[in-house]
Structures are given as structure tokens and as C-alpha cells.
Amino acid sequence: MSYDPLIQPHVAADTAVPDSYWQATAPAYPARPLQDKLQTEYAVIGAGYTGLSAALTLAEAGKQVTVLDANQVGFGCAGRNGGFVLKGTGRYSLSAIASKWSHPVAVGMRDEFARAVSLLESRVQNYKIDCDMQYGPYLKIAHNVKQAANLKRTQRINQFEFDSKETYLAPPALAEILDIKKAHGAVKQDGLALHPLKLVNGYAAACEQQGAKIFSHSPVTGITSQPSGYVLHTPQAEVHAERVIIASNAYSPKKLHPLVDNKQFPVQSSILVTSPLTAEQRVATRLTQPMTMMDTRMMKYYYRVLPDGRLLFGGRGAVNGSGKGDPASQARLRKAMLESFPALASASVDYFWNGWVSVALDSLPRVVTDSSNTLGYAMGYCGSGVSFAALAGTRLAQKMLGESLDTSLPVYNSELPRYPFAGLRRVALHTLYAWAALAE
């Protein structure tokens, strides 16, 4: 049975994992369901990037930590995404952050985005996590002339106001790097990609190495407050905790706690992976090196060359949940891929899967604790969470440990806004997708 976060009350322990390229190329993390009632200082709900990063930070500080996941480690966003490591999160550019808040705030966010990538790299090195890291160009590609002009203007702003090292590529310069059709220019910068499921498995192993306990296939169905802290209810047993971190993101139960209920919108993204490209196909497209790419459409397509020579190609999915992915989404992705790279017409689709992305109402994630600093959450990354989600988990743990966060930054100084008329979210999404199709 598939999981739809707006229909099912929570992820079931026996929900099947997707038939993804990641699942096929990484062993599942050992399962350990919760069996008995236990007491802990910190309970973390969700064994993805956010939750495991929070748990690792707490365990490194000598705290007693218990992580609970409804399914296997990396079942949700952490094991389904495209593996892009980006210096950013949410949907605001640095110039947009400067316009909405201030230039110093934008500089502060830029620095946090850089710290997120550095944190990921340092943990991969320190804990010897083998996650197929690939360094290479990252291209943001204009899908029309108007967007090419916008990219060029933004590149200049980022260079002079934010010390960015990105460069603008006019169509002839882009063609020297990549033979892609319907492209009108690009911005190029350093990029990084990895195997997302191997990364989350590595985080889990690091947590247990530091003494944290991880219980999988143990869905939290409710949280009850009590004078000494909280009780987390699961089908098997209860967990009594002094402090709780909610890190379930788009895979959060429909109703878990007022602090998070109806404060994010789970939206589906779909990904296909081709058969290994032939030598002729790689030469024809110039997809001959590690490379990550994304276009400028409202509903973006993103793609990358995998270590074994396959092409990963992703974009929006269906509005409602589906098991292995609906045929229409797969056909839409393949059509878009061939419009960009017609030389891949004979490449088969070997893998196709879906994942839920947590979208914040105002397109900005939050890292928040309640007034007692004993219950907190981090979520709403809008599909850009591989690096920032781990930093968010670390910041949330640091705040619960009594450290101060930079409250000049909007991700740390306010709660996620609640969705008004939450029951109509998918009606609005249908309308947005229809409008986006016409706009392209």
C-alpha cells in the first residue's frame, strides 16, 4: 500500500520502500523495532537527515538520545531525493532574502548555507561515510530567453553583493560543456552530489557509534504532555522523554502535535533513472563527467550524471499519492528528458519512484522550539534539504542544549505559518500545476 500523508494517519511500519535506484544500490539499515517501554532524555521522531543530525549532535554532547522512525532509516525524503548538495534551502534567492529582510540577513543566510555543506563534508570525512560523493559543475539552465536575462542579472548581483564565484554562460559557452536543446544560457558554479540513502545510513551508524539508540518500524501515533516531559505513543510501547524533536518533515502524521499540524504541505516529486548511457550517447550529449543541472521553470526539472553513467531526471509528481508512481508522471519526465537530450531516445527507464517534499506556506523552512525549549521541530525545506536539513537538526539540538541561535535569521526567529483552509491544499495545487503548464 502506498502512503499519502494527507490521507493515511501515519506511515505504517510495513509500508513498502520504493523500487528506487538508491534502494537497489545500498543495503537497508538494520531494522530494530521498539519492543519495550523506555525512558530517555531526548526523543527524536524521524530517522532522516534532520532527526539523525539532531541525534548525533546530542549524542556527541553526551546526552541520552532515542530516535524513532515509522519505517526503515531513510524511508522518507532522505532516501528518495536526487542527492543534490546545494547551498540553499526553501525558495528564496539571496537577493530575494535581501529585499524581504535586509542585506545583512541575506549575508547571514548565505553563510549558514555554506556551513550546511561544510557540516555535511566534515561528517562524511570524520565518520568515514561512503556515499559516492561527486564534485563537478552545477548548472542552472535558462529554459527561455527571459530567464536567461534573469540569470545573467542575478549572477551579477550575487557576484558583487554576495561574493559569489558563479559565472554566466551564454549559449555558445554552454554548448561547449553540454549539448542540451531548448537552453538559452546558464549559470555555472561548483557542485556536489551524492548517494542520499548511503548518506542517511552513514548518519545512523554515526549516531549509534556515539551511543544513540535507533528504533525503526515504530511509528509515533501521538504525543502527550506530562509534568516530567512527554509520552510518545507507538503501537508497540511508550517512550517517556524529557525533550522531543519532531523531524518527520513531509512524512509527519496527519495529526501529531499542535506545534506542527497543518504547517507544511507534502507535495510529490518524481525521479527516473535511465539505463547506463552508451559511449555514443555520452559523447552526443556531453554528459561525460559528474554534473548536476536544474532548469528555471516554475516546476523545475533537475538532473545529474550518476557514477555508473546513468542519467537521473526528476521533477514534480502527481498531486495524490501513488504506489510505484503514476505512468503520467513517468511519461512527462521522459518527454522532458528527450526534449533536452534527444540522443537518449533509446535509453530505457530502469527505475522510477516518488517522494514527498515538505513545502512551507511562505517558502522558508523553520527551526523552532516551544516556550519551554523542550519540544521543537525543523521542516519545510521545499525540496532543498540534503545539506540544510542536517544543519537544521544540529541547530535545533544546539538550541535545546541551551546555545543561542542567530535570531536575526528568519529560519530561527519565527514559526512555520499554518496553512489556511488546509483541506483545500490539493485543490490549489491542481490549479498551480495547470497554470505552470500554460506558463511554460
Side-chain angles (χ1 to χ4, degrees):
M1 181 180 180
S2 63
Y3 170 65
D4 188 323
L6 297 189
I7 296 177
Q8 278 84 34
H10 56 79
V11 174
D14 60 353
T15 301
V17 297
D19 295 327
S20 71
Y21 175 80
W22 310 131
Q23 292 287 342
T25 53
Y29 198 80
R32 184 186 178 192
L34 178 70
Q35 299 293 342
D36 301 308
K37 176 180 176 179
L38 61 82
Q39 185 87 29
T40 187
E41 286 183 282
Y42 291 83
V44 179
I45 303 172
Y49 300 138
T50 304
L52 292 173
S53 181
L56 183 55
T57 302
L58 293 166
E60 288 174 336
K63 301 301 180 181
Q64 183 187 39
V65 188
T66 300
V67 181
L68 299 169
D69 198 275
N71 203 276
Q72 74 172 38
V73 169
F75 173 82
C77 311
R80 300 171 189 248
N81 65 82
F84 286 51
V85 180
L86 303 175
K87 290 184 178 179
T89 191
R91 291 178 174 170
Y92 284 96
S93 65
L94 291 177
S95 57
I97 293 172
S99 297
K100 185 174 177 64
W101 287 280
S102 70
H103 187 267
V105 166
V107 170
M109 290 299 299
R110 177 204 64 186
D111 294 344
E112 280 291 83
F113 296 154
R115 290 185 191 104
V117 176
S118 296
L119 176 67
L120 183 153
E121 291 176 313
S122 66
R123 282 178 169 163
V124 167
Q125 180 178 0
N126 293 341
Y127 288 100
K128 297 178 172 57
I129 300 173
D130 180 6
C131 57
D132 302 340
M133 292 177 72
Q134 292 180 288
Y135 290 89
Y138 168 55
L139 301 174
K140 190 167 185 179
I141 300 169
H143 74 287
N144 60 33
V145 174
K146 179 180 178 182
Q147 288 301 320
N150 287 340
L151 279 183
K152 190 172 185 178
R153 181 171 58 252
T154 300
Q155 182 269 329
R156 288 174 177 170
I157 292 171
N158 289 343
Q159 178 182 355
F160 291 109
E161 295 191 12
F162 302 107
D163 196 29
S164 170
K165 302 299 185 278
E166 49 185 58
T167 56
Y168 178 75
L169 303 177
L174 175 60
E176 293 179 5
I177 300 174
L178 187 67
D179 191 344
I180 181 171
K181 311 306 178 188
K182 298 185 177 180
H184 299 268
V187 166
K188 175 178 173 286
Q189 58 185 292
D190 293 338
L192 172 60
L194 47 71
H195 193 304
L197 188 57
K198 288 183 179 180
L199 177 66
V200 75
N201 287 348
Y203 283 167
C207 286
E208 294 200 306
Q209 180 181 326
Q210 291 295 327
K213 295 180 179 179
I214 300 174
F215 295 97
S216 58
H217 302 89
S218 304
V220 175
T221 58
I223 302 173
T224 302
S225 299
Q226 60 178 18
S228 59
Y230 303 90
V231 179
L232 277 60
H233 305 277
T234 80
Q236 304 100 313
E238 294 179 346
V239 174
H240 292 249
E242 296 173 20
R243 298 172 187 264
V244 173
I245 286 175
I246 299 172
S248 41
N249 210 34
Y251 289 77
S252 299
K254 280 182 67 177
K255 188 173 183 181
L256 181 62
H257 190 277
L259 196 64
V260 297
D261 293 346
N262 293 325
K263 289 192 174 181
Q264 54 99 20
F265 183 12
V267 176
Q268 264 194 131
S269 182
S270 294
I271 293 176
L272 65 80
V273 171
T274 70
S275 55
L277 305 185
T278 65
E280 293 78 11
Q281 288 170 332
R282 299 192 73 175
V283 170
T285 57
R286 297 189 180 153
L287 295 169
T288 56
Q289 63 174 318
M291 190 183 305
T292 50
M293 296 149 278
M294 187 178 298
D295 70 22
T296 53
R297 289 174 172 84
M298 180 185 300
M299 300 300 162
K300 303 181 189 306
Y301 293 114
Y302 51 93
Y303 27 104
R304 57 174 283 213
V305 181
L306 297 174
D308 59 1
R310 301 172 187 267
L311 183 68
L312 176 150
F313 200 96
R316 75 169 180 86
V319 173
N320 299 304
S322 57
K324 294 184 178 181
D326 65 299
S329 292
Q330 181 175 339
R332 181 172 57 249
L333 285 183
R334 189 169 190 277
K335 178 176 181 290
M337 179 184 74
L338 295 182
E339 287 176 349
S340 294
F341 303 108
L344 304 186
S346 62
S348 64
V349 175
D350 285 1
Y351 301 93
F352 177 71
W353 69 94
N354 292 328
W356 294 101
V357 172
S358 175
V359 176
L361 178 62
D362 62 356
S363 299
L364 189 75
R366 298 298 200 284
V367 178
V368 173
T369 61
D370 66 0
S371 58
S372 66
N373 200 35
T374 60
L375 179 68
Y377 68 83
M379 60 176 62
Y381 309 114
C382 301
S384 300
V386 173
S387 59
F388 191 80
L391 180 68
T394 288
R395 292 293 191 230
L396 187 53
Q398 289 171 337
K399 187 173 183 182
M400 284 196 169
L401 288 169
E403 299 182 30
S404 298
L405 304 187
D406 184 353
T407 55
S408 71
L409 305 183
V411 290
Y412 303 134
N413 65 17
S414 62
E415 295 186 18
L416 281 172
R418 194 177 305 276
Y419 273 84
F421 309 107
L424 298 178
R425 281 174 287 185
R426 284 193 170 154
V427 175
L429 189 62
H430 272 292
T431 303
L432 177 63
Y433 283 174
W435 182 75
L438 292 174
E440 290 177 6

